[in-house]
Amino acid sequence: MELMKFVNAFWVGGLFCAFAQILIDKTRLTPARIMVTYVVAGVILTSLGLFKPIVDYAGCGATVPIIGFGYTLAKGVMTAITEKGALGILCGGVTGAACGISAAIFFGFLFAIICKPKPKK
C-alpha cells in the first residue's frame, strides 16, 4: 500500500477530532451534542455529494470518526431508496450500518461479561 494513504487517513481523521476538541474547549456544547452534530453533518454532506470525495481521499480517516456514521446512514438510505423506493427511507440507514451496530453490541456485551465495573468514588 502507498504510504500516502495512511498519511491522508491520519491527518484528515485528526482534523475531524481536533475540530471536535476545539468545540469542546471553546464552546458550551457538550460532547453528546457535538457527536450528534457530526452525525448530522455526515448525513448532510453525503446527501449533497460533498463527503464522497473526502472518503475517496482519506479512506478510514473519514469513515471511522463519528462523522463517518452519518455517511454510512445516508449511503444506506440512498441505496435502499433505489432498491425499495420510499420504504428505503425507513430501513436503509439501519441496514447500511447493521454490521457496525452488531459489532458494537457484541463487543459491548463481551466486555461487560469480562470486566467487573466498580462504582466511581
Side-chain angles (χ1 to χ4, degrees), residues 1-115:
M1 293 201 97
E2 291 181 43
L3 178 63
M4 284 309 294
K5 288 183 181 181
F6 294 108
V7 172
N8 292 340
F10 181 79
W11 81 261
V12 171
L15 192 66
F16 284 133
C17 295
F19 184 68
Q21 188 63 50
I22 290 168
L23 290 175
I24 290 170
D25 293 343
K26 301 295 183 186
T27 68
R28 298 181 71 116
L29 292 173
T30 63
R33 289 184 180 179
I34 294 168
M35 190 167 53
V36 169
T37 302
Y38 265 42
V39 172
V40 171
V43 170
I44 291 170
L45 291 173
T46 302
S47 65
L48 295 174
L50 301 174
F51 202 72
K52 179 70 171 142
I54 298 171
V55 171
D56 292 341
Y57 177 76
C60 289
T63 58
V64 171
I66 194 69
I67 196 166
F69 184 66
Y71 167 75
T72 302
L73 290 174
K75 190 174 170 188
V77 168
M78 290 190 290
T79 302
I81 287 174
T82 58
E83 294 173 357
K84 300 177 184 175
L87 184 61
I89 296 170
L90 300 174
C91 64
V94 176
T95 303
C99 183
I101 294 169
S102 299
I105 292 170
F106 173 76
F107 287 110
F109 178 72
L110 181 66
F111 283 103
I113 291 172
I114 294 171
C115 299

